[in-house]
Amino acid sequence: QVQLVESGGGLVQAGASLRLSCAASGRTFSNYAMSWFRQAPGKEREFVAMVTSSGAGTYYADSVKGRFTISRDNAKNMVYLQMNSLKPEDTAVYYCATNLRGSYRRGENYEYWGQGTQVTVSS
């Protein structure tokens, strides 16, 4: 079993920055890729970013590329999402996920999810 706990969300103005954190426990964290997804009200969950188990590889949705950075600290069992130049359309609940089987862009391919953290960006 894996437990994931997100934190760091909040209400900010457009153009601001936030850093989300995801604390993992229950398995050898460094063996697994980690991802962030988000879901806005009335919309489907969408992929945001993924980092490979070693941290050497990162992948992003086109909508956040150049603004968001995913990273991890395997010694601390943590994964982060640095979000810069936030836009109102980034408003969503952000989730971290792990234990990937298949395409990293598809949420149904992840076994474990956190409870989410709300990010609200005002215009």
Side-chain angles (χ1 to χ4, degrees):
Q1 192 76 333
V2 174
Q3 294 79 43
L4 302 173
V5 179
E6 302 95 335
S7 61
L11 171 63
V12 297
Q13 290 190 330
S17 297
L18 278 175
R19 189 176 85 152
L20 305 184
S21 300
C22 175
S25 61
R27 278 194 181 179
T28 305
F29 176 75
S30 59
N31 289 349
Y32 300 92
M34 298 291 298
S35 293
W36 288 95
F37 283 75
R38 66 186 182 186
Q39 188 166 21
K43 295 188 176 181
E44 292 187 355
R45 179 178 57 195
E46 65 172 347
F47 168 77
V48 175
M50 188 271 269
V51 60
T52 58
S53 57
S54 67
T58 56
Y59 304 88
Y60 297 94
D62 288 343
S63 58
V64 306
K65 200 172 295 183
R67 299 188 298 123
F68 290 12
T69 302
I70 188 171
S71 63
R72 67 190 296 160
D73 184 338
N74 285 342
K76 297 181 178 179
N77 287 4
M78 296 290 294
V79 62
Y80 306 101
L81 186 68
Q82 178 66 43
M83 306 186 295
N84 298 330
S85 302
L86 282 161
K87 304 175 181 180
E89 51 263 44
D90 295 318
T91 295
V93 177
Y94 284 71
Y95 300 90
C96 62
T98 192
N99 204 25
L100 172 64
R101 297 286 187 267
S103 168
Y104 63 84
R105 292 183 179 269
R106 299 176 64 89
E108 57 265 36
N109 291 337
Y110 292 81
E111 182 175 3
Y112 299 110
W113 294 82
Q115 84 290 347
T117 186
Q118 176 71 46
V119 172
T120 304
V121 184
S122 63
S123 57

